[in-house]
Amino acid sequence: SAGSSPFGVALWSELSGDFRWSSHENMGDWARQVSCTFQTTGDGYLESVAALPTSKTRDFSRWSQLEEWRSKQIPELPEILAGFPEFVPVDEAGEVVDAEPELLSNFPNCCGLPVLRAVPPTGLPELPDEPHRIGIASVASTVAAPGTHNVILGLRTFFDKSDAKVWGIRNLAKGNQFEIVSGDVQYFLNQAGSDLLPTIPLLRLTDAALNKLGKLCADLCLTGLVLICSPAELSQVARIAEYLNGCVLGPPVVAVLHSVKGNVHLPKWFPTSIGFDSAVGALAEVTGNIALSRQSLGIGTYHFVCVGSPPLTLEIAMQTHPTLCYIGEDIGQRGLTLRAIIDEVADVIVERHHDHGLTTGIILVSDDFFEALVEMRQLRDELNKLRLEKLALLPQELGEFFAMLPADVCHSLVFRSDANNMPLLNLPEAERELATLVARCLACRAEKGERSLAEFMPHPHNLRHLMCSPMPTLLDSRLGYALGHVAGLLLQQRKNSYVASLANLGEPCEKWDACAVPLTHLLALGPQTTLYRGVQNLPQIMPSLASGSGFRRGGASRAASGSRAHPVQFCLPPGGHPLKWSNFTIQAEYLCIELEDDEAESPKLDAKWVPLEVWSARAPSPLAPLLLAEVAHGIPAGAAAGSSGTIPHRRIGQQNPRVRRPQLSPECVSWAVAYRVKAAMIVAATEEVNVLQMLPNASSSASIYDLTTESSSPSLIRKESSQARLDRRVPSMRIGIALVGRAGPGVNNVIQGLFDYLQTVGGTVICIALGIEGLIKDGFSFELDEETLAPFRNQGGCNLLGQSGPEDLRRGDLAACAATVTRLALDGLVLWGGCNGHSWTPRLAEYFVQEKINTCVVGVPASVQSDLPIMEQTLGYDSMCKLLASVVGNLAVRAASSGKMWCFVRIPGRSLSHIVAEVALETHPHVVLVPPSDGTEQLSLLEVTQIICNTIELRSRDDKNYGIVLIPDQLLASVREMRQLFEEVAEIRMMCPEALDCIGSVVVRDFAPVRNLLSPLTRSLFKKLPERICAQILGLAFDDVAPRSRTAASAGARHTWEPLDLASVDTEVILQSLVEAELTRRVLLGTYKGSFQSMTYSMAYHGRAAMPTNFDCDLGYTIGYAAGIFVSGHRTGLLVDVTKLKEDVRKWEVRGTPLLSLQTIERDSGHPPVCQIRPRLRLHYDVGYKSNMPEPLHRTVISPGPVQFAGPCSSAMTQSLCMPQLQRVRQMARTEQLIAELKGKASAGCPVEVLHAVRLLLQGGTELIHQL
């Protein structure tokens, strides 16, 4: 017998002495085989000799810099928890809630408890007779929210004051417990996920399960039990507390509630739950980036985004100001039907486009969108009635609504039932279905001749997966750590059936109040509460916003997005008030923030309470220059002239690098002081073929101009050709700047650097809006001043200038550009662009020289792909990679914490993607789909599927049924079968365009005409693809792709090959379906016996509008400053090149590389040669990234976390930049070895003719290298 156990007799004889178990630890240097021995002591306790937690998901010898730094930052604690406070009942009226009859009958021992509040002790604390033995378990059907690791470590730290033992319980019925020792688990502090203590699903508690739990508590002799749970398990936790409370001397039960959905709220005593703030931080950053991403002019591009629960949607709407926002509560209160919502969205889109010239926007929907529709409730009631009465017809209105629902939803409503025997609603992806229905509505209006859009491009985004496992914010870290102490304090005082909580979160952390809320208080809240579902209480945040009026009608739905979010920061500024950094949910709890009603042009908030960033104080004035340009583009002149409005509120950050002036290379500083080029070094181009002979007035040689700090005589500066230097003297310069192609992080820093340089030497920046449209069509331009630039300093997006596609310039376009720069009297033109944009920039520079137009052309190396030849790293690459790595790390932690999830992630990038390589180095995914060698080799769908399935099977044998698959969105262009499909569809579009009318159908899409025109093998593949994938492929912009056939070429198509933009094709869904089919085949054959669950996620539009990192801020500022220097030095046809980027900014070197030296010639018989810049395809040769990662079987989770602007992690560079170019180093070493052997052989003596032959070979090799 186990002493005086109150739970009955524990038969220790069944243990037969010692009970042994073993598990494998995979924790880097701590990896070892742990053997735990349980034995009884004289007191009847069950002891453990060694008990480290098993963890196959983490390797603390390989983790990110931010993870390591965060694990050493011990969160602050409220002052009340510094000692041993006492919990006393709250005396305020109404705090003791009368129990409802149903609750009282189910939980008689837990009802009627008062709210407790911690107060300073009145005397010395009572010491326990014997050390506490505390058990802790995580019970939830999903991954635990961010911050729950801190709960565990906070509980352990609290009991470090005594000799208490804390046991982690992995299974409430079977035990599988381990002792939590402070030194062994410290690495999990401030970390995401729940891999230290995996969650246990509590589907339904039976009496047998409760008896097993009681026996487990008796075996461990627990004096307290902490259950970390979600709202869905709250009623089950109450049952456990009720059961143990009914046992003599049973351990008290304390719950710690976590919820990323934010659906738990008790005024004053439970303001928020763990995880909500972290989820908001991750979702707001991505949603803000999507909101700022702009697409082609004239095309209605709208992003339909779902972030999850109504509280989350409400909070994200407050932070990003979407065009429209729909949450379930608002839909139900207004009694909206699906048709009314579709018409409302379509009306707003059409009005914004025709009356305001706005072609982009973002629409937020909550995940209860369909559930809250009035028609849905009526439909379920009617279907249930039809089942009972054996009828077969629906009313006409419900029949039309039923026809608009997806097929799987209709099937579940008809053939499946829920727990209440009602038709089961299988919730669809609300954002995708709404986007499809709105597109069909606009197409139907266009067919009827009503006012609509000529072209509409919806982009659905499902961001629900991002809320589960981000790195916990400062608020969640402190909240979790403090709640662990509160739970320990409650158990020490034997308070049972309580939920640990903290109040007064509006004050600094040291002034928070510790309190405890009875379990039944939360179960009694809310009209939708049921005993076995937990609380479903929506926080009442700003009634005007909750009703949707702030984002549905009036000016807010017409204006461009006026606010944006930011990456989560872990370094508070000195004296920073925590409430300024908190979400609006907490602010509404303590500040009662109000929004103006729907007619206000811009929602106004008190500037001092906006988190992290502050609103600009500019008074309302005419529309911003870019908005005026967009208004004037493509709409009647009268409408443009009559348009007016206010500048949307812009936000300027409060911390590094948002308000700091980016650092500048000393070369640029020295030149600005001396106002002349200090020195110019002539260096031959080191990569790609020189094509200077292609242009009529081009020089026969190229020069790279370095800005150095050494003084030199002007006579030492080489005299360049007219193509490289324009002789003129201008007292006050005017330099124009335009974006060619897609924008990226750092564009505003380039403008900032150019502007600050001209402020130093005297001059004006002329902003040419809308890229090529502004250059060719003599578009809108304006002079930049400090007031206009201030809101955009160090910010993401391209709202200041706008953008256009990287279209090729024809001869007439060159003349139009010349007319524009002549009218603007520009001394220089700075062009932002990548490979495609800068392919024609030298032609523009040459044309200006030929026509004697004194305008220098300087290029900015801007490519998030970092694929420009010669460049060490292009602008925007650092920000893009770090943002995507943060999201991939988030998803990886979720997959690893669940232990049974494979995530197929699609990220931007060509098939041979430098972004994929960098993200892989940062996160160590388990499958990276990058074609081998130099990118010319094509894979097959079978080979790609086998690569993924083999890795899944290999990891499954080691009981690792989770992982990450990284997929570049251009991968399908390197797959033979898909490439053949694309070419055939392009040919169909050219020869038989009427066959593609099916993709614009407003009711049913018929792909039969297209299938009949495909070859047999391609037709078979096309039939197996999902309908939405087929529509995406047929809707691709094949007009921008060079056809491969000679027939198409003779028809006048473009001759240069540009990769097909596959960002709109769900490549991850295709591979997911193929992998599922292959694994099913292997299961039937008996070769695969593991489990497989999967999810997909696309990041095609996440990064181009991201806030630039410190590195990109400095790089962009340096490039803009240097561009001004080159224009002042009368240099043209150059690309700003910043080298030695691995060093400190003070050691960077700036030079100008002739754009022609980057170009190659595309020759085609019968057509004139074409110049273009080929993307750099030396990824494997230069980086060799695969050798820097473990084998897929042994790869563990790495979460880089969000980009930091201050602190020790703010200066981190990309790993591909810091890594040595392995293959080049090896080749150099091998070359030196061969030269040494050659010298040795030659000195030993050999025939003269042999030496002559060797000399000729060496001379030929030297000449070959010089020609590169």
Side-chain angles (χ1 to χ4, degrees), residues 558-573:
R558 310 292 187 255
S561 178
S563 64
R564 63 151 307 148
H566 52 81
V568 173
Q569 300 298 297
F570 298 116
C571 287
L572 281 171

Side-chain angles (χ1 to χ4, degrees), residues 81 120 154 233 550 801 990:
L81 297 177
E233 284 76 28
L801 282 182
M990 180 175 295

Side-chain angles (χ1 to χ4, degrees), residues 247-514:
C247 300
V248 180
L249 298 178
V253 176
V254 172
V256 177
L257 210 56
H258 66 84
S259 173
V260 295
K261 297 181 179 180
N263 52 6
V264 183
H265 179 252
L266 181 63
K268 187 176 181 180
W269 301 115
F270 201 100
T272 188
S273 56
I274 305 173
F276 180 71
D277 190 67
S278 301
V280 167
L283 292 170
E285 178 188 7
V286 174
T287 306
N289 292 341
I290 293 174
L292 287 179
S293 62
R294 294 179 175 271
Q295 304 301 317
S296 301
L297 292 170
I299 301 177
T301 304
Y302 279 79
H303 300 275
F304 292 77
V305 179
C306 181
V307 297
S309 65
L312 271 177
T313 306
L314 205 58
E315 178 68 37
I316 300 304
M318 283 298 303
Q319 298 204 23
T320 60
H321 290 186
T323 306
L324 290 168
C325 177
Y326 293 97
I327 60 175
E329 184 180 4
D330 177 40
I331 294 173
Q333 290 178 356
R334 297 172 60 196
L336 291 176
T337 63
L338 182 59
R339 174 55 60 187
I341 293 176
I342 294 172
D343 290 339
E344 185 176 45
V345 175
D347 291 342
V348 169
I349 291 174
V350 171
E351 184 176 348
R352 283 166 56 87
H353 181 81
H354 290 282
D355 299 341
H356 300 273
L358 302 175
T359 59
T360 62
I362 183 169
I363 298 172
L364 284 181
V365 294
S366 61
D367 54 10
D368 63 342
F369 176 85
F370 278 97
E371 189 177 9
L373 291 172
V374 175
E375 299 161 304
M376 185 60 72
R377 295 194 294 268
Q378 297 175 352
L379 177 63
R380 296 181 70 188
D381 292 338
E382 191 68 26
L383 287 175
N384 187 49
K385 181 179 178 181
L386 294 180
R387 287 179 180 179
L388 297 176
E389 299 180 3
K390 308 298 183 182
L391 300 177
L393 294 177
L394 286 172
Q396 181 179 358
E397 309 83 30
L398 294 180
E400 295 176 355
F401 171 70
F402 187 78
M404 289 191 290
L405 298 177
D408 56 341
V409 176
C410 296
H411 184 273
S412 65
L413 286 172
V414 173
F415 297 105
R416 301 179 64 184
S417 301
D418 59 13
N420 297 322
N421 205 27
M422 291 290 292
L424 177 65
L425 175 58
N426 184 16
L427 291 177
E429 294 184 352
E431 70 287 349
R432 186 175 299 278
E433 299 304 328
L434 182 61
T436 302
L437 294 173
V438 170
R440 292 181 181 180
C441 177
L442 292 173
C444 185
R445 292 186 181 186
E447 291 179 0
K448 295 179 181 179
E450 300 176 359
R451 195 166 75 154
S452 182
L453 271 67
E455 191 171 354
F456 178 68
M457 186 180 299
H459 295 288
H461 303 272
N462 180 4
L463 305 184
R464 299 175 182 91
H465 303 303
L466 295 184
M467 67 180 179
C468 295
S469 299
M471 191 171 289
T473 60
L474 287 176
L475 176 63
D476 278 337
S477 298
R478 295 171 177 177
L479 192 62
Y481 197 69
L483 285 177
H485 283 71
V486 174
L489 192 63
L490 288 169
L491 293 178
Q492 190 180 59
Q493 301 179 21
R494 296 197 62 81
K495 304 296 183 182
N496 189 30
S497 304
Y498 277 94
V499 177
S501 181
L502 291 164
N504 203 24
L505 299 185
E507 297 295 330
C509 179
E510 59 270 14
K511 296 183 180 180
W512 289 355
D513 292 331

